[in-house]
Amino acid sequence: MEANQAMHEGQVQRRKRDNLIAFIAIGAALAVAIVLALTLFVPKDDEPAQSAPAETPAADSATQGLTNSAEVPDAATAAGKTFTGTLTLNGKPLGVTLDGTKAPQAAAVFKSLADSDFLAGKTCHRLADAPDFGVLQCGSLKGDGQGDPDYQWGPVENTPADGNYPAGTIAVARANTIDSNGTQFFITFKDTTLPQDDGGYTILGKVTSGLDVVDAIAKDGIEGDATDGAPKTKVTIDSFKLK
């Protein structure tokens, strides 16, 4: 009986040890996923972070009291409008549509950037590919992920309450406040879940054709075989045309 009891106690201790190891492994994986989600689309910024409003922003920028950079176009120029066009990456076209009804300020900004050819020649400097995350981020002023401190705007618009950004979503990257949007955007090439507790990210529009171009870039991988970093295939925006 003593031998059986000793064997039983040994089995109990092994089960406790195995459960502890499994718990630690799950916790570590969850922590990595959370960190990736919180940092995935935040453009770097040399300027001090601004304090975020205490309230969740409304869709209408006029209610926010935010001060946008002087060059940022008025949301009224895109309100109620839908813009369609082509985003060309490495010589390959993606059909796109921007929704000025749900995201008038964002649509006004990117229509203006398209009309001025600002994005032509810019790169897609960041690729993230992990479970529930699949994005290509583009539009940095210098191609290094830095935001432009002289071109910032708000508010955040048209964010999904469940944090789900379906494959083909075009959304606006930002720094750590809801009025720190700039010229960067990201395209999801798989269904992607992002945290919404700090305001989320504006859904600007969607890719209507050619998402396989982004899929191919993702399949080529990320430098250092990481899950988040520079794509192995250098990606250049040849043009971004809207009408």
Side-chain angles (χ1 to χ4, degrees):
M1 180 175 292
E2 290 179 356
N4 289 338
Q5 183 176 1
M7 182 175 67
H8 175 70
E9 290 178 352
Q11 291 173 339
V12 170
Q13 291 300 320
R14 282 195 297 273
R15 282 198 295 271
K16 288 182 177 179
R17 181 192 61 197
D18 292 343
N19 288 341
L20 178 60
I21 292 172
F23 178 77
I24 292 173
I26 292 171
L30 180 60
V32 170
I34 291 173
V35 169
L36 183 60
L38 291 175
T39 61
L40 196 52
F41 309 111
V42 181
K44 301 173 185 177
D45 194 345
D46 292 331
E47 296 296 302
Q50 301 179 39
S51 297
E55 297 182 359
T56 301
D60 184 359
S61 61
T63 68
Q64 298 306 302
L66 303 176
T67 301
N68 290 340
S69 300
E71 297 84 359
V72 174
D74 194 306
T77 62
K81 299 178 182 179
T82 299
F83 302 106
T84 60
T86 304
L87 171 66
T88 304
L89 304 178
N90 291 353
K92 298 177 181 179
L94 287 74
V96 299
T97 181
L98 306 190
D99 190 343
T101 299
K102 294 181 179 179
Q105 183 61 78
V109 165
F110 281 90
K111 179 64 164 63
S112 173
L113 294 175
D115 290 347
S116 66
D117 288 331
F118 171 85
L119 291 169
K122 300 296 187 294
T123 62
C124 296
H125 64 280
R126 195 172 191 181
L127 178 67
D129 192 357
D132 299 323
F133 292 87
V135 304
L136 180 68
Q137 185 172 330
C138 315
S140 171
L141 178 63
K142 298 179 180 179
D144 56 3
Q146 295 286 338
D148 182 354
D150 295 324
Y151 195 89
Q152 295 190 34
W153 52 276
V156 170
E157 307 167 296
N158 192 30
T159 60
D162 60 1
N164 181 40
Y165 294 72
T169 296
I170 304 173
V172 183
R174 63 177 176 83
N176 58 355
T177 67
I178 61 169
D179 53 351
S180 60
N181 300 286
T183 62
Q184 296 187 51
F185 64 96
F186 60 90
I187 300 170
T188 62
F189 57 87
K190 64 171 71 171
D191 290 348
T192 296
T193 302
L194 297 172
Q196 302 297 294
D197 53 358
D198 64 347
Y201 303 86
T202 294
I203 293 181
L204 169 64
K206 62 183 179 180
V207 175
T208 56
S209 64
L211 189 59
D212 58 312
V213 173
V214 184
D215 289 332
I217 293 168
K219 287 179 181 177
D220 285 343
I222 300 168
E223 289 185 1
D225 294 322
T227 58
D228 181 14
K232 287 183 178 179
T233 299
K234 182 178 179 181
V235 184
T236 301
I237 300 174
D238 300 300
S239 64
F240 185 33
K241 301 294 184 183
L242 295 170
K243 60 181 179 179

